[in-house]
């Protein structure tokens, strides 16, 4: 939200402050003139979050880098029944190449990284919808991609940070 106000007022900050101090009754008109001009920045911000940041998070960069290093180092000879080998499969063939064990297959969801992006895009879309309606389709693209990425994460990569087994809301 701070980015929004800084971006709106940063063109010529001293001129903006001088205009507001000279004519305080026209602050709404001033904001109505300056906010739509910076909507292009927010459209590009929302689209870059949706088309770059979210798919990159779905890739799980740490797990991908570990897998790439192992693949470049060459195959290790693992016999059947050893850790990392697929039951009944070929030696060295694992069911999940990016994880050396079943515990490393899943990661805990980091709500502190997921929620701020979603809330920022939602705030930008709600704020700019009446002033610059082209932000809304960019927000729809973001939330469509976010739905796919977060659904994939919930089904295949995330695990619950804790399991209360229903005792948290016991009556």
């Amino acid at each position: 939200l701070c980015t929004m106000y800084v971006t709106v007022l940063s063109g010529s900050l001293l001129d903006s402050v001088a205009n507001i101090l000279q004519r305080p009754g026209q602050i709404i008109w001033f904001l109505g003139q300056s906010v739509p001009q910076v909507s292009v920045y927010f459209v590009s911000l929302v689209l870059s979050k949706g088309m770059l940041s979210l798919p990159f998070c779905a890739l799980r960069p740490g797990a991908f880098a570990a897998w790439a290093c192992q693949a470049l180092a060459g195959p290790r000879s693992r016999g059947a029944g050893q850790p990392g080998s697929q039951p009944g499969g070929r030696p060295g063939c694992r069911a999940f190449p990016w994880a050396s064990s079943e515990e490393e297959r899943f990661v805990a969801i980091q709500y502190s990284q997921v929620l701020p992006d979603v809330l920022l895009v939602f705030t930008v879309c709600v704020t700019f919808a009446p002033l610059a309606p082209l932000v809304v389709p960019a927000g729809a693209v973001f939330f469509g991609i976010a739905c796919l990425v977060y659904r994939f994460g919930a089904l295949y990569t995330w695990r619950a940070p804790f399991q209360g087994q229903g005792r948290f809301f016991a009556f």
Side-chain angles (χ1 to χ4, degrees):
L1 211 54
C2 183
T3 304
M4 193 177 325
Y5 295 118
V6 169
T7 306
V8 167
L9 298 174
S10 68
S12 55
L13 188 60
L14 294 176
D15 292 338
S16 302
V17 171
N19 286 337
I20 289 173
L21 291 176
Q22 288 175 359
R23 295 173 285 190
Q26 294 186 354
I27 189 169
I28 301 296
W29 180 84
F30 172 71
L31 290 175
Q33 293 295 317
S34 61
V35 168
Q37 293 175 356
V38 297
S39 64
V40 175
Y41 165 74
F42 290 107
V43 168
S44 64
L45 175 80
V46 168
L47 288 176
S48 68
K49 280 189 177 293
M51 294 183 163
L52 294 174
S53 300
L54 285 176
F56 187 72
C57 289
L59 186 62
R60 289 181 53 196
F64 182 76
W67 172 77
C69 288
Q70 288 177 357
L72 291 175
R76 294 186 219 162
S77 59
R78 287 190 174 144
Q82 289 183 349
S85 65
Q86 187 176 2
R90 300 185 318 262
C93 180
R94 294 184 299 180
F96 308 106
W98 63 89
S100 60
S101 68
E102 185 68 25
E103 290 178 4
E104 291 180 9
R105 177 180 169 211
F106 295 103
V107 294
I109 182 172
Q110 300 294 324
Y111 292 111
S112 61
Q113 295 174 356
V114 172
L115 286 178
D117 288 339
V118 172
L119 293 176
L120 174 71
V121 171
F122 179 75
T123 303
V124 166
C125 289
V126 169
T127 302
F128 279 96
L131 301 172
L134 289 178
V135 174
V136 176
V141 167
F142 172 84
F143 284 111
I145 293 172
C147 181
L148 295 173
V149 168
Y150 295 149
R151 185 180 297 166
F152 177 82
L155 289 174
Y156 300 112
T157 62
W158 294 335
R159 65 174 163 78
F162 64 91
Q163 183 55 265
Q165 299 175 351
R167 293 188 189 124
F168 192 68
F169 293 107
F171 294 106

